Amino acid sequence: MSMPRRHSVCPNCGATNVGEQTTCLRCQAPLVEQAPLVRQAGAYFITSGWQLTIANGPNAGQSFSLGDRVRLGRAEGNEIRLADRRVSRHHAVLEHVGHGYLITDQGSSNGTYVNGMRISQPTALHSGDTITIGNTQFTILSEIQPQPTGPEETIVCPTCGARIARRKFCTQCGAPLG
């Protein structure tokens, strides 16, 4: 999966525009910024939020929707409070940066691990990464949903008459298309 990109849905024609433009590529109407897109397997998906789920440990099964800044630890006042004796009172912080999250260890006794590696500086997280603090293991996931990139233009193949999306070659008969 690639890094998220800015996208906007045109309020005039409904086309999804990917990139930094401020007007719609189809109708030139002003654009309104929307949630970020990620590209996976050649298609774009919209991210609608991030979740942190406890995979194992004393609080296994709990899931949390992530906000701009999330503190993890044993002490009251943490947004995610854990009943794990190996977790420090103020163990780690997740911060929303751009279209993703950074995790920073707060000088904890037992360390913070991302995908099995102990971190010593703020570390970017990707959907599917595992975070381990104390005996608690989390999985961070972005909630992604298919997002069309706008309706495709259809044409009629002059050789076989098939109605198809615009391509270099007809998908029915293989004839070159202008």
Side-chain angles (χ1 to χ4, degrees), residues 69-73 78 88-95 102-112 119-122 133:
R69 188 169 195 272
V70 180
R71 296 169 298 170
L72 297 97
N78 288 301
S88 296
R89 288 177 293 146
H90 303 285
H91 199 104
V93 174
L94 292 168
E95 291 182 276
L102 290 178
I103 187 166
T104 306
D105 185 85
Q106 298 293 291
S108 66
S109 302
N110 295 314
T112 300
I119 63 168
S120 58
Q121 59 189 14
I133 60 175

Side-chain angles (χ1 to χ4, degrees), residues 1-17:
M1 186 174 352
S2 67
M3 290 303 294
R5 296 179 61 189
R6 177 178 174 222
H7 94 282
S8 300
V9 174
C10 178
N12 185 49
C13 71
T16 299
N17 293 264

Side-chain angles (χ1 to χ4, degrees), residues 55-89:
N56 62 40
N59 301 82
Q62 285 185 304
S63 284
F64 306 90
S65 293
L66 299 178
D68 288 337
R69 188 169 195 272
V70 180
R71 296 169 298 170
L72 297 97
R74 281 192 348 257
E76 286 187 36
N78 288 301
E79 285 76 22
I80 299 177
R81 191 168 173 206
L82 301 167
D84 180 341
R85 296 190 59 137
R86 294 196 64 227
V87 172
S88 296
R89 288 177 293 146

